[in-house]
Amino acid sequence: MGKNGSGKSTFSKVLVGHPDYEVTGGTAVFKGEDLFEKEPEERSHAGLFMSFQSPVEVPGVSNMDFLRMSCNARRAAQGLPELGPLEFYGFLSPKLSALNMSPTFLDRNVNEGFSGGEKKRNEILQLAVLEADLAILDEIDSGLDVDALRDVANAVNGLRKSTNAVLMITHYQRLLDYIKPTFVHIMEKGQIVKTGDALLAKQLEAGGYEALSAGS
């Protein structure tokens, strides 16, 4: 959490290797390896995933093809056999159900013509398919109505295990009412300035950042 411009999204994009950013120093160690030595696709194969605030449209590429190719690329990196079309559909169907998504989504081009809520559901579907070890979710609650927020949150909770982690960026307590955080970090000017538990987010909602600064 943090004010607009505090560096939350920048931090996330740097971790996944966004081309708009150049790393000039430091390291980011994930599972014993420096992420900055890897290409973006290698970071994804290693188990890193990021859901963007504004997912891009990919005309001409069906959701089904995109998801299966992404899944098989990750499986290949893990030394697992590829899933054929029928096997993959069987693997995918329960994940669609968990998000209350119609199978017709699979025939549509990636995010093309999707509403804001549909794009966010589609991002979480990608996360579910890739079975990432570290999911970075950048404001997945923006643009969602109450029902869509509940569905997305339930799907994220269903993916949480003792062997993976979720890093969420949000401005609002309403998301944290559904997805209970273990830790809450407050970011300011590119630095984490305060860390606490779920109570910290409630204090922030009640009094704003000025109240937190006065109390620190």
Side-chain angles (χ1 to χ4, degrees), residues 187-198:
M187 205 166 196
E188 183 179 320
K189 297 179 180 178
Q191 302 286 328
I192 293 175
V193 296
K194 195 175 186 68
T195 295
D197 57 16

Side-chain angles (χ1 to χ4, degrees), residues 49 91 95 99 123-132 155 159:
F49 174 89
F91 168 75
K95 303 178 189 303
L99 280 159
E123 291 276 286
I124 303 306
L125 179 62
Q126 293 168 30
L127 168 60
V129 165
L130 291 172
E131 298 180 331
L159 296 171

Side-chain angles (χ1 to χ4, degrees), residues 87-207:
E87 288 177 298
F88 180 70
Y89 187 77
F91 168 75
L92 182 61
S93 291
K95 303 178 189 303
L96 279 170
S97 298
L99 280 159
N100 283 332
M101 292 178 72
S102 166
T104 59
F105 273 87
L106 301 177
D107 298 324
R108 296 168 65 180
N109 291 336
V110 179
N111 292 327
E112 190 174 28
F114 284 24
S115 68
E118 288 173 336
K119 287 182 178 180
K120 294 301 175 72
R121 288 177 193 257
N122 209 33
E123 291 276 286
I124 303 306
L125 179 62
Q126 293 168 30
L127 168 60
V129 165
L130 291 172
E131 298 180 331
D133 300 313
L134 172 58
I136 303 171
L137 309 180
D138 193 356
E139 297 191 23
I140 57 166
D141 49 333
S142 65
L144 296 185
D145 60 31
V146 174
D147 290 339
L149 176 64
R150 184 181 59 247
D151 288 342
V152 165
N154 285 342
V156 171
N157 282 328
L159 296 171
R160 295 173 72 183
K161 304 175 185 176
S162 61
T163 54
N164 63 18
V166 177
L167 174 63
M168 297 191 302
I169 297 172
T170 185
H171 288 286
Y172 303 110
Q173 174 63 40
R174 68 172 194 156
L175 177 63
L176 306 184
D177 288 338
Y178 290 103
I179 305 175
K180 305 296 183 184
T182 311
F183 299 102
V184 174
H185 305 284
I186 306 298
M187 205 166 196
E188 183 179 320
K189 297 179 180 178
Q191 302 286 328
I192 293 175
V193 296
K194 195 175 186 68
T195 295
D197 57 16
L199 182 60
L200 182 57
K202 292 183 181 293
Q203 293 171 341
L204 181 61
E205 184 179 48

